[in-house]
Amino acid sequence: MSTNQILILAFAAIGLVGALAVASVALRRGTDTEPITGVTDRKAMRRDRKRRRAQAAPEMPAATAPDHDEPAPIDPITQRQEVGPEEYGVTRRQFFNRGVAGIFGLFMAQMGIFSLGFMWPRIKAGGFGSKVAAGKAEALATQVFLPDGRVSPLFVPAAQAYLVPFQGDMAGSSFEGLPVVAGGLMALWQRCVHLGCRVPQCDASQGFECPCHSSKYNYHGEYEGGPAPRNLDRFVVEVDDSGQFIIDTGQVLQTSRASNKTAVYPQGPSCI
Ligand code: FES
């Protein structure tokens, strides 16, 4: 499984977990079985009191002394009255919680969609992160040599890789047993293994020399000097039935600094 496929699955899993979390919060908030109680606010109480007084006023005899046997009127502010769930409706807390859960759910959904949209074209188009067909292996092999027999790495933009001929002895090398050579070619990732700068080739020295911190590699991508911790990384390659040279950019192979070099470096002055 390629790195991009693993990333997609990870994002999908995160999105799913987020959606489940939102759904569980929303459902829990939405199915409260406890009766909702509350108190009416003071303004409503005052309005009710005024209304009751207005209704009662015409019935009062104009000059009648107050009846001391009547019970004292109930003060609606101190004697608060509970209301049922139908009267009260959705509480402010419920409204706020549902709003937050909804916004969070929308945010997670957008994140998931944008992440998939960002990565999807790369996978679909057979670009970096998947298998890249670089061309007929035989034709490619003829392009990586200069007329004087020296090596001229061929850059394949879709794979971010240099094609180089492998002319050394695999036995005892840092590549022994790895599927990094096919049709006499290797595919080196252009990215410096120190801090990731793009490493250009140097025709004069017959190697790769990083302009950032001066790491150097021979044309097989084997470590020759500088702060780089290992050889240049390379991709798994194969020649398919139709003779196409396939670079699997989803499978990056790392190898430790070569103690047994398979290419001579330098063969001329350095470029940096
Ligand atoms: S990034 Fe290449 S040597 Fe530091």
Side-chain angles (χ1 to χ4, degrees):
M1 189 179 289
S2 72
T3 311
N4 275 354
Q5 286 170 324
I6 292 169
L7 277 174
I8 285 178
L9 287 178
F11 273 115
I14 291 169
L16 186 63
V17 169
L20 285 175
V22 170
S24 74
V25 169
L27 287 175
R28 190 160 59 81
R29 297 288 179 195
T31 57
D32 283 345
T33 51
E34 294 288 316
I36 301 170
T37 59
V39 292
T40 51
D41 65 28
R42 293 181 179 206
K43 282 185 183 170
M45 287 293 187
R46 273 190 223 113
R47 274 200 303 274
D48 285 352
R49 199 166 33 182
K50 277 185 190 167
R51 196 178 65 241
R52 275 199 294 274
R53 275 194 199 130
Q55 285 171 351
E59 296 167 11
M60 295 252 319
T64 309
D67 185 354
H68 293 290
D69 293 338
E70 268 186 31
I74 295 170
D75 182 353
I77 294 176
T78 54
Q79 300 292 314
R80 291 184 174 185
Q81 165 189 6
E82 289 200 347
V83 295
E86 283 82 21
E87 277 180 275
Y88 207 86
V90 178
T91 65
R92 261 179 297 185
R93 181 186 296 263
Q94 284 175 324
F95 179 77
F96 179 74
N97 284 340
R98 289 176 191 178
V100 169
I103 290 168
F104 181 69
L106 275 176
F107 174 74
M108 290 299 292
Q110 279 186 337
M111 279 282 291
I113 290 167
F114 287 151
S115 303
L116 280 174
F118 179 70
M119 288 187 291
W120 194 256
R122 289 181 162 193
I123 294 163
K124 200 175 67 175
F128 191 77
S130 64
K131 290 187 176 182
V132 174
K136 292 284 184 186
E138 276 184 23
L140 294 171
T142 62
Q143 294 179 49
V144 294
F145 290 104
L146 296 171
D148 60 3
R150 287 151 60 87
V151 166
S152 175
L154 178 67
F155 187 63
V156 181
Q160 301 180 15
Y162 293 103
L163 298 189
V164 294
F166 184 77
Q167 300 169 305
D169 187 1
M170 193 65 117
S173 74
S174 45
F175 320 119
E176 190 173 1
L178 297 175
V180 294
V181 181
L185 296 170
M186 283 196 296
L188 308 179
W189 195 359
Q190 65 167 1
R191 178 178 156 277
C192 183
V193 295
H194 178 223
L195 290 178
C197 290
R198 183 179 185 274
V199 189
Q201 66 198 66
C202 176
D203 289 337
S205 65
Q206 289 285 276
F208 296 93
E209 298 175 355
C210 183
C212 293
H213 312 98
S214 305
S215 286
K216 293 176 180 171
Y217 315 85
N218 64 29
Y219 71 75
H220 281 170
E222 292 166 325
Y223 171 84
E224 291 285 355
R230 59 181 187 272
N231 298 331
L232 280 178
D233 293 338
R234 57 208 67 221
F235 300 114
V236 170
V237 293
E238 63 174 340
V239 177
D240 70 10
D241 296 341
S242 65
Q244 280 284 332
F245 185 78
I246 306 295
I247 306 170
D248 188 352
T249 55
Q251 295 193 61
V252 181
L253 295 177
Q254 300 179 353
T255 52
S256 55
R257 289 179 175 180
S259 51
N260 181 18
K261 307 282 177 58
T262 55
V264 179
Y265 177 90
Q267 299 183 31
S270 173
C271 296
I272 56 174

